[in-house]
Amino acid sequence: MAIWAVLPAAGIGRRMGSTIPKQYLTIDGAPLILHALRRLSAVSEIQKIIVVIHPEDNRWAKLQESIVEEFENRIITVMGGAERYQSVLNGLAAMTELADKDDWVLVHDAVRPCVRTSDIENLISKVSLHPVGGLLGSSVDNTLKKVGADLAVIETVDRESYWNALTPQMFRFAQLKESIEAVVASGEQVTDEAAAMEVAGFKPIMIAGSKDNIKITHEADLVLVSQILKNQASDNGSK
Ligand code: C5P
């Protein structure tokens, strides 16, 4: 059974307030998207990576040209949609002629450049044996409060039952595609693949991953990512 990766990178980074989409911001001499691509490509079981870009992206073509040798023929480029789940669906649609229905697909955010190869490998080895699929996640450390619209605290919830959803998320090709298509048809919104699977009635498994697999959302995250990448380089933590 083949393993594929889809890298949604078609966001415009609205919350970041930068003129450059966040996946193209440079840290340690390489844009974030390239860091993320390298982490995925270090996993030899992944046969191809589908990179999903914005239709008006004028940076990818140049970057791809400069990395042709590094990634050989492992990258396929596809145009994204208005929402993340539409971009992922476009990536999956591009695989229709290539993938078997039970092939595994790992979906990973282009703006999570610090994911450790060992975490991806652990996800693959654990989820390959699971009937549905699963995702990397991390436990919640802070006390969790539920608040109302006026920010008044309603209650303290049991954090043991709550996990942060990270990526990659790994599901079977046809089940994932059909689940996202059903979400699109119903007009619902989901922010990750696991949510689409949950809506379809499946129960994905949570696999504990490193907490340094952070997603760049705000400008302050850049400093953190830069430090994490430095630490990982010095202790070989990217492995
Ligand atoms: O916006 P957010 O931080 O949740 O984006 C997560 C990932 O999804 C990013 O890599 C972003 O480029 C991608 N994305 C996409 N298509 C969209 C919106 C986001 O591929 N329409």
Side-chain angles (χ1 to χ4, degrees), residues 203-215:
K203 286 202 168 81
I205 185 90
M206 189 67 90
I207 307 292
S210 312
K211 287 182 193 282
D212 59 8
N213 177 12
I214 67 166
K215 183 173 80 161

PDB file of all heavy atoms in Angstrom, residues 203-215:
ATOM      1  N   LYS A 203     -13.867   7.310  13.866  1.00  0.00           N
ATOM      2  CA  LYS A 203     -13.192   7.736  15.103  1.00  0.00           C
ATOM      3  C   LYS A 203     -11.676   7.633  14.920  1.00  0.00           C
ATOM      4  O   LYS A 203     -11.075   6.577  15.187  1.00  0.00           O
ATOM      5  CB  LYS A 203     -13.622   6.845  16.266  1.00  0.00           C
ATOM      6  CG  LYS A 203     -15.034   7.128  16.761  1.00  0.00           C
ATOM      7  CD  LYS A 203     -15.168   6.630  18.209  1.00  0.00           C
ATOM      8  CE  LYS A 203     -16.430   7.114  18.878  1.00  0.00           C
ATOM      9  NZ  LYS A 203     -17.599   6.342  18.531  1.00  0.00           N
ATOM     10  N   PRO A 204     -11.035   8.719  14.468  1.00  0.00           N
ATOM     11  CA  PRO A 204      -9.578   8.694  14.279  1.00  0.00           C
ATOM     12  C   PRO A 204      -8.857   8.520  15.614  1.00  0.00           C
ATOM     13  O   PRO A 204      -9.385   8.894  16.669  1.00  0.00           O
ATOM     14  CB  PRO A 204      -9.270  10.081  13.700  1.00  0.00           C
ATOM     15  CG  PRO A 204     -10.581  10.650  13.282  1.00  0.00           C
ATOM     16  CD  PRO A 204     -11.626  10.014  14.128  1.00  0.00           C
ATOM     17  N   ILE A 205      -7.631   7.980  15.531  1.00  0.00           N
ATOM     18  CA  ILE A 205      -6.846   7.772  16.750  1.00  0.00           C
ATOM     19  C   ILE A 205      -5.831   8.912  16.922  1.00  0.00           C
ATOM     20  O   ILE A 205      -5.254   9.390  15.957  1.00  0.00           O
ATOM     21  CB  ILE A 205      -6.123   6.391  16.721  1.00  0.00           C
ATOM     22  CG1 ILE A 205      -5.395   6.092  18.019  1.00  0.00           C
ATOM     23  CG2 ILE A 205      -5.151   6.263  15.564  1.00  0.00           C
ATOM     24  CD1 ILE A 205      -6.235   5.383  19.001  1.00  0.00           C
ATOM     25  N   MET A 206      -5.676   9.341  18.175  1.00  0.00           N
ATOM     26  CA  MET A 206      -4.715  10.414  18.474  1.00  0.00           C
ATOM     27  C   MET A 206      -3.364   9.795  18.809  1.00  0.00           C
ATOM     28  O   MET A 206      -3.277   8.897  19.645  1.00  0.00           O
ATOM     29  CB  MET A 206      -5.256  11.209  19.664  1.00  0.00           C
ATOM     30  CG  MET A 206      -4.508  12.470  19.984  1.00  0.00           C
ATOM     31  SD  MET A 206      -4.676  13.715  18.684  1.00  0.00           S
ATOM     32  CE  MET A 206      -6.127  14.602  19.202  1.00  0.00           C
ATOM     33  N   ILE A 207      -2.312  10.274  18.155  1.00  0.00           N
ATOM     34  CA  ILE A 207      -0.955   9.782  18.411  1.00  0.00           C
ATOM     35  C   ILE A 207      -0.140  10.935  18.992  1.00  0.00           C
ATOM     36  O   ILE A 207      -0.048  12.004  18.369  1.00  0.00           O
ATOM     37  CB  ILE A 207      -0.282   9.297  17.090  1.00  0.00           C
ATOM     38  CG1 ILE A 207      -1.165   8.276  16.345  1.00  0.00           C
ATOM     39  CG2 ILE A 207       1.122   8.755  17.351  1.00  0.00           C
ATOM     40  CD1 ILE A 207      -1.329   6.935  17.033  1.00  0.00           C
ATOM     41  N   ALA A 208       0.438  10.724  20.168  1.00  0.00           N
ATOM     42  CA  ALA A 208       1.176  11.811  20.833  1.00  0.00           C
ATOM     43  C   ALA A 208       2.400  12.217  20.013  1.00  0.00           C
ATOM     44  O   ALA A 208       3.205  11.367  19.621  1.00  0.00           O
ATOM     45  CB  ALA A 208       1.596  11.365  22.225  1.00  0.00           C
ATOM     46  N   GLY A 209       2.508  13.516  19.738  1.00  0.00           N
ATOM     47  CA  GLY A 209       3.655  14.043  19.001  1.00  0.00           C
ATOM     48  C   GLY A 209       4.363  15.099  19.829  1.00  0.00           C
ATOM     49  O   GLY A 209       3.878  15.497  20.894  1.00  0.00           O
ATOM     50  N   SER A 210       5.514  15.561  19.341  1.00  0.00           N
ATOM     51  CA  SER A 210       6.277  16.577  20.081  1.00  0.00           C
ATOM     52  C   SER A 210       5.543  17.907  20.072  1.00  0.00           C
ATOM     53  O   SER A 210       4.968  18.299  19.052  1.00  0.00           O
ATOM     54  CB  SER A 210       7.651  16.774  19.440  1.00  0.00           C
ATOM     55  OG  SER A 210       8.241  15.547  19.211  1.00  0.00           O
ATOM     56  N   LYS A 211       5.666  18.610  21.202  1.00  0.00           N
ATOM     57  CA  LYS A 211       4.960  19.890  21.319  1.00  0.00           C
ATOM     58  C   LYS A 211       5.625  20.997  20.494  1.00  0.00           C
ATOM     59  O   LYS A 211       5.071  22.064  20.313  1.00  0.00           O
ATOM     60  CB  LYS A 211       4.874  20.311  22.786  1.00  0.00           C
ATOM     61  CG  LYS A 211       3.874  19.465  23.568  1.00  0.00           C
ATOM     62  CD  LYS A 211       3.767  19.921  25.001  1.00  0.00           C
ATOM     63  CE  LYS A 211       3.023  18.909  25.848  1.00  0.00           C
ATOM     64  NZ  LYS A 211       1.581  18.936  25.706  1.00  0.00           N
ATOM     65  N   ASP A 212       6.840  20.733  20.010  1.00  0.00           N
ATOM     66  CA  ASP A 212       7.488  21.784  19.212  1.00  0.00           C
ATOM     67  C   ASP A 212       7.038  21.777  17.740  1.00  0.00           C
ATOM     68  O   ASP A 212       7.528  22.566  16.939  1.00  0.00           O
ATOM     69  CB  ASP A 212       9.026  21.721  19.330  1.00  0.00           C
ATOM     70  CG  ASP A 212       9.634  20.408  18.876  1.00  0.00           C
ATOM     71  OD1 ASP A 212       8.910  19.570  18.316  1.00  0.00           O
ATOM     72  OD2 ASP A 212      10.860  20.231  19.094  1.00  0.00           O
ATOM     73  N   ASN A 213       6.072  20.935  17.411  1.00  0.00           N
ATOM     74  CA  ASN A 213       5.503  20.921  16.050  1.00  0.00           C
ATOM     75  C   ASN A 213       4.446  22.018  15.956  1.00  0.00           C
ATOM     76  O   ASN A 213       3.262  21.756  15.769  1.00  0.00           O
ATOM     77  CB  ASN A 213       4.921  19.532  15.788  1.00  0.00           C
ATOM     78  CG  ASN A 213       4.236  19.407  14.434  1.00  0.00           C
ATOM     79  OD1 ASN A 213       4.381  20.281  13.579  1.00  0.00           O
ATOM     80  ND2 ASN A 213       3.502  18.322  14.253  1.00  0.00           N
ATOM     81  N   ILE A 214       4.887  23.272  16.108  1.00  0.00           N
ATOM     82  CA  ILE A 214       3.908  24.365  16.193  1.00  0.00           C
ATOM     83  C   ILE A 214       3.531  24.882  14.804  1.00  0.00           C
ATOM     84  O   ILE A 214       4.288  24.722  13.845  1.00  0.00           O
ATOM     85  CB  ILE A 214       4.404  25.539  17.076  1.00  0.00           C
ATOM     86  CG1 ILE A 214       5.601  26.249  16.432  1.00  0.00           C
ATOM     87  CG2 ILE A 214       4.742  25.058  18.471  1.00  0.00           C
ATOM     88  CD1 ILE A 214       5.907  27.596  17.070  1.00  0.00           C
ATOM     89  N   LYS A 215       2.348  25.509  14.727  1.00  0.00           N
ATOM     90  CA  LYS A 215       1.894  26.088  13.464  1.00  0.00           C
ATOM     91  C   LYS A 215       2.125  27.594  13.514  1.00  0.00           C
ATOM     92  O   LYS A 215       1.760  28.243  14.496  1.00  0.00           O
ATOM     93  CB  LYS A 215       0.401  25.807  13.260  1.00  0.00           C
ATOM     94  CG  LYS A 215      -0.098  26.321  11.928  1.00  0.00           C
ATOM     95  CD  LYS A 215      -1.523  25.902  11.660  1.00  0.00           C
ATOM     96  CE  LYS A 215      -2.483  26.785  12.398  1.00  0.00           C
ATOM     97  NZ  LYS A 215      -3.842  26.739  11.850  1.00  0.00           N
TER      98      LYS A 215
END
